[in-house]
Amino acid sequence: MNGTDGTGVTDRLTALVERVRRDPGAVGWLFPAVGRRVGRGPGPSGDPEGVLGPTFQDGARAAVVAALRDTVGAERFAEEVEALYRFGDAEEKRAVLRSLPLLGRGGDAGRLAAGLIADALRGNDPRLIAAALGTPAAAALDDHAWRHGVLKCLFSDVPLAAVHGLAERADAELGRMAAGYAAEREAAGREVPADVRRLIALSPHPADSPGTDDGTGTGASAPPTTGQEA
């Protein structure tokens, strides 16, 4: 069922939100039930997989998370959000990642966000990789982890359009890594994806590579196994 096409969607979602406000402990079973109760479908991006942006059910689950935030204290809220992620299936994890800005920034909230994002980047699910870097919450990652997350997008065929704030955060080191990746692909006789060229162009003072000017370039780092490598 596509929640955007059905009738009574707003009423059903409102009922879920009000239930969480009355009984915050119910979120553990209401959150997984959102798709069945409210509906599923693509969000504003038009992508039903939720790579290019949140799906309809992601948005509905974010409303449930927001209701929880407004009802319980910060410590319990963080605990509940972590549990929703840890015990959720891939669709639920994606919704939690999309909802991470509700935690706020800095302190324990920032550390929790960074930990959940790092966990998503350790896997190979494009939906989770995109969601991990697709909101302002990715600012919780340090530069090293964030760069490797962006490279993970390239390795996992996640469009860079999914990465929040890419143009603002791309730096010379990320450009060097992208140039090295381009060099490796060209040396192997493989095409350099347009997103790799875009990343090199976005980065200030990028290193030259076969994908840009003179055929030089340094080696790219291997895909990370964790979003928080030292």
Side-chain angles (χ1 to χ4, degrees):
M1 174 181 174
N2 186 331
T4 60
D5 295 335
T7 59
V9 170
T10 300
D11 290 342
R12 292 195 296 274
L13 179 56
T14 298
L16 288 180
V17 166
E18 290 305 317
R19 176 62 187 274
V20 170
R21 292 186 189 279
R22 293 194 309 270
D23 180 13
V27 73
W29 63 268
L30 285 174
F31 192 79
V34 166
R36 297 191 302 274
R37 289 175 174 244
V38 179
R40 294 181 171 87
S45 72
D47 179 6
E49 294 299 318
V51 172
L52 293 178
T55 62
F56 174 79
Q57 60 270 31
D58 288 343
R61 286 190 167 107
V64 170
V65 173
L68 181 67
R69 177 200 59 187
D70 295 341
T71 307
V72 301
E75 183 176 352
R76 179 176 174 187
F77 178 57
E79 291 173 352
E80 294 283 3
V81 167
E82 183 172 18
L84 292 175
Y85 180 88
R86 298 296 179 192
F87 297 108
D89 62 17
E91 186 175 282
E92 293 155 31
K93 288 179 187 292
R94 182 188 64 204
V96 172
L97 292 166
R98 294 283 184 193
S99 301
L100 285 179
L102 293 170
L103 283 170
R105 292 191 177 189
D108 292 340
R111 284 187 285 275
L112 174 58
L116 297 185
I117 291 170
D119 182 82
L121 293 176
R122 279 192 286 270
N124 296 304
D125 189 327
R127 297 169 299 173
L128 300 188
I129 294 168
L133 296 183
T135 77
L141 292 177
D142 63 32
D143 289 341
H144 178 81
W146 183 81
R147 290 186 202 106
H148 278 276
V150 174
L151 264 291
K152 186 71 174 277
C153 288
L154 296 180
F155 300 137
S156 304
D157 294 324
V158 172
L160 291 185
V163 178
H164 178 83
L166 178 67
E168 293 75 22
R169 195 167 179 183
D171 59 11
E173 176 62 13
L174 183 59
R176 184 196 67 78
M177 295 165 72
Y181 181 49
E184 290 179 359
R185 290 186 67 90
E186 287 209 341
R190 303 176 67 187
E191 181 181 358
V192 177
D195 263 354
V196 178
R197 299 179 188 277
R198 177 190 172 204
L199 188 55
I200 295 169
L202 276 175
S203 304
H205 309 296
D208 291 335
S209 76
T212 54
D213 296 321
D214 66 0
T216 64
T218 56
S221 300
T225 57
T226 174
Q228 292 283 35
E229 293 178 21

